Amino acid sequence: MAEFSPQLLRQARELSGLSAAELAERAGLHRVTVANYERGMHCPPETWGRIEKALRQALDEHVRTAEKVRKRLAP
């Protein structure tokens, strides 16, 4: 598990294409909680683990989708 960082959280969320509300839903949290963590509020390790898992899944989905589109664009 990576060490919690508000910057890492925001960057991974944005790269995954998720809104704070969508990430919160996937991690079983409230949207305001995710926003608070992005602003620097302390995130407990067990909660960060849930967020990390949701982010990894979303990023994997995003990469698979991008790869499919890239292949379709290839000559």
Side-chain angles (χ1 to χ4, degrees), residues 17-74:
L18 295 177
S19 67
E22 291 167 329
L23 174 57
E25 184 176 329
R26 288 178 178 229
L29 301 168
H30 192 278
R31 168 190 62 76
V32 173
T33 302
V34 171
N36 285 338
Y37 293 152
E38 286 188 357
R39 286 194 294 270
M41 183 177 167
H42 171 73
C43 182
E46 61 277 358
T47 304
W48 175 236
R50 290 175 27 208
I51 293 170
E52 246 189 333
K53 181 179 178 184
L55 285 168
R56 278 194 303 276
Q57 290 171 345
L59 285 166
D60 287 345
E61 291 167 13
H62 191 73
V63 167
R64 283 191 298 273
T65 301
E67 184 62 24
K68 286 178 186 177
V69 172
R70 189 193 64 76
K71 285 180 181 179
R72 290 180 64 201
L73 292 171

